Amino acid sequence: MKYYIIAGEASGDLHGSNLMKALLEKDANAEFRFWGGDLMQNVGGTLVKHYRDLAFMGFIEVVMNLRTITKNLSFCKQDIEAYNPDCIIFIDYPGFNLRIAKWAKPKGYKTHYYISPQIWAWKENRIHDIKRDVDSMYVILPFEKDFYQNKHNFPVNFVGHPLIDAIADRKQIDEDTFRQEYNLNEKPIIALLPGSRKQEIKKMLSIMLSIIDDFPDYQFVIAGAPSQDYSFYKQFITNPNVNFVSNITYDLLSVSTAALVTSGTATLETALFKVPEVVCYKGSWLSYQIGKRLVKHIKYISLVNLIMDEEVVTELIQNDFNSKRLKIELNKILNDYERTKFFISYYELEQKLGGKGASNNVANLILKALN
């Protein structure tokens, strides 16, 4: 079979690579052409566009890059027609992928969507496009199946969360060796996960790093995103109590005592490593004002709290994300009693997400539909 896969972000690259591996195990003749990143490229096939050239954050940034986005859409359609795949697999990235699905379905291409757009949070009217343009939807959050099937009468498959597999299958590391390799001392580690795009990294790190002198008994380690070079992060590393590692976030979390995390998939990854965290978010004023008016009916921004339907982790959003509040909340999660509460909640969270096998489940369902 010939598969055309579109993933536009780092998380999509991870989940896309694992899905490709699962498809190869079941389809020895599988051929891949894809938009994604290094992890997908390492599996094999042809990388058409790297996600680092596709990701634009916030309403203003999208508007400023509309010409590039339009060109990418046009090129993608031409590339699909030239490749003529047996199916197209969309991985998250809804602003782009739903437009391609709208074009692809009338042309007879089989459309499979892995990792649903978060229409339960905003743009719920996208359900009409999904019903029209998507043959099969594979959801990874337990409440999404009820949302689609009971509220919108659209059958979907809950396949479990792919992060369970990604974390369980990773190569284990020795903490002493890790510290030596990256010149880390014996102090407990507080991981800083500031996001993956330059705009958000600048906003997040400026506040995250403002409190390091208040925690002299800890060392802070920035988790560099695979889409950014060290030269970009160098400007932020001006304190001897701050270190940097690149593209090994899972290894860093596995040896961390606590974490300050930009909202997104990283909040769930941190929880699955059982690391107490403070969730942070700060966007441009205009983007935040627009977003606040569009996202009206959800109580939380972090996946941890959304899945648990309660405030397990503290969320510092926009003006609440400041040095004073961050210092207070970090002190809280370093308290032994509070940490025990985290571990209990994180265990319950993992049970809700289901066991291993998301990529394998999706691969089986896609091949069943194609055959």
Side-chain angles (χ1 to χ4, degrees), residues 184-227:
L184 305 178
N185 57 42
E186 71 284 353
K187 292 180 181 179
I189 294 171
I190 296 175
L192 305 181
L193 280 61
S196 60
R197 305 176 181 106
K198 286 183 177 179
Q199 307 103 301
E200 66 181 347
I201 292 170
K202 287 180 179 179
K203 284 187 176 75
M204 307 310 294
L205 276 181
S206 63
I207 299 175
M208 288 178 175
L209 293 173
S210 69
I211 66 170
I212 57 177
D213 289 334
D214 296 302
F215 297 88
D217 295 331
Y218 296 85
Q219 60 185 318
F220 292 74
V221 182
I222 300 170
S227 56

Side-chain angles (χ1 to χ4, degrees), residues 68 112 123 165 242 313 318 328 334 346:
T68 299
H112 295 259
K123 292 191 175 182
D165 291 349
V242 177
V313 298
Q318 210 65 3
I328 291 171
L334 294 174
Y346 284 168

Side-chain angles (χ1 to χ4, degrees), residues 16 40 58 63 70 87 92 116 123 127 159 206 228 267 304 349 369:
M40 294 173 74
V63 171
T70 301
C87 77
D92 204 357
S116 163
K123 292 191 175 182
I127 185 62
V159 294
S206 63
Q228 306 297 339
T267 64
V304 176
L349 169 73

